[in-house]
Amino acid sequence: MPKESPLRRNILEILANWRVNVDSSERLSNADRELIMNLSPAYFKWREEAVLEGRQEGRQEGRQEGRQEGIREERRQMVENFLRVRFGEIDAELEAIIVPMLQLTPQVLTRLLFSLSREELLLWFGETSGIEERFGEGKREKVENLLKVRFGEVDQELADKIASMLELPPHELTPLLLTLSREELLERFAG
């Protein structure tokens, strides 16, 4: 069978399992011993290939994890640079909101970084402690602003749901506004 054939791999796995079972058996006939001897080269070759394949997969996973870590670090540096350009320096408050911001898609994150003020960024990404006070006046406008940033506009269907959204406390509403799609928001606040 060709090396890349899935049937070959399945047959070799069955053969390996059979060999282990036969090896543990004390009563083997001459025919069984002869069959084991004939099949042993295939078994050992499969075992060697499986070990090599496992090593290659491990290396690929390691490289992929390294690439993903590099991408996360690049995104973090981009956000830090953007915050420095907009606000001069990164103080403890801004430093604390970088990791939550990185959970967003690059498109949403970019729009938020361009559109929201320092206070709004701290409101949306800061710790939940004190969020009630920071949310304060103009809650509806802040929700509308965030929806505009995320979706480009607030159509009538979405605007009709804002009143339902405002019934939630800010620490529950904020994650929904930042993560749910337009359709998910409409479904979540239907009725």
Side-chain angles (χ1 to χ4, degrees):
M1 288 186 152
K3 195 173 186 174
E4 60 276 346
S5 171
L7 289 176
R8 179 176 189 247
R9 183 182 184 116
N10 291 343
I11 290 171
L12 289 171
E13 285 182 37
I14 291 168
L15 172 62
N17 288 331
W18 174 79
R19 167 133 187 198
V20 169
N21 289 332
V22 169
D23 280 348
S24 64
S25 174
E26 294 178 9
R27 290 186 270 160
L28 293 176
S29 68
N30 285 338
D32 287 338
R33 283 191 184 94
E34 187 177 332
L35 183 59
I36 289 172
M37 288 177 60
N38 289 333
L39 294 176
S40 287
Y43 166 74
F44 286 116
K45 185 174 181 176
W46 170 80
R47 205 169 92 188
E48 184 179 306
E49 288 173 0
V51 168
L52 288 174
E53 188 176 298
R55 286 183 187 153
Q56 287 174 341
E57 287 175 3
R59 282 189 213 115
Q60 286 176 339
E61 287 174 9
R63 282 193 295 266
Q64 186 175 15
E65 286 176 19
R67 269 187 251 124
Q68 289 174 343
E69 182 61 34
I71 290 169
R72 282 191 294 270
E73 185 57 33
E74 286 176 16
R75 284 189 72 207
R76 182 183 179 88
Q77 287 180 349
M78 184 271 307
V79 169
E80 288 175 356
N81 290 338
F82 194 91
L83 293 173
R84 276 191 197 97
V85 168
R86 281 209 58 207
F87 307 118
E89 68 176 293
I90 299 177
D91 59 16
E93 284 184 309
L94 288 175
E95 179 69 33
I97 67 170
I98 292 173
V99 172
M101 288 193 303
L102 294 175
Q103 305 307 311
L104 299 174
T105 65
Q107 296 81 5
V108 171
L109 178 57
T110 302
R111 282 186 282 176
L112 291 176
L113 287 171
F114 274 110
S115 303
L116 298 181
S117 68
R118 174 188 163 86
E119 292 72 28
E120 289 170 319
L121 287 171
L122 292 173
L123 168 71
W124 294 111
F125 296 102
E127 294 181 24
T128 56
S129 61
I131 198 167
E132 295 284 347
E133 297 82 45
R134 291 196 318 242
F135 217 79
E137 296 296 316
K139 187 175 175 181
R140 182 178 185 87
E141 291 77 24
K142 289 177 182 176
V143 170
E144 287 175 353
N145 185 33
L146 184 64
L147 293 172
K148 283 178 191 172
V149 169
R150 288 214 50 219
F151 306 121
E153 67 174 333
V154 178
D155 61 16
Q156 191 58 49
E157 190 176 18
L158 199 52
D160 292 342
K161 305 300 181 206
I162 292 175
S164 298
M165 293 177 195
L166 295 174
E167 292 175 8
L168 288 179
H171 68 276
E172 290 179 26
L173 178 59
T174 300
L176 298 176
L177 291 174
L178 292 172
T179 59
L180 296 183
S181 69
R182 179 186 178 283
E183 290 72 27
E184 290 170 329
L185 283 170
L186 291 173
E187 184 178 318
R188 169 70 170 79
F189 293 101

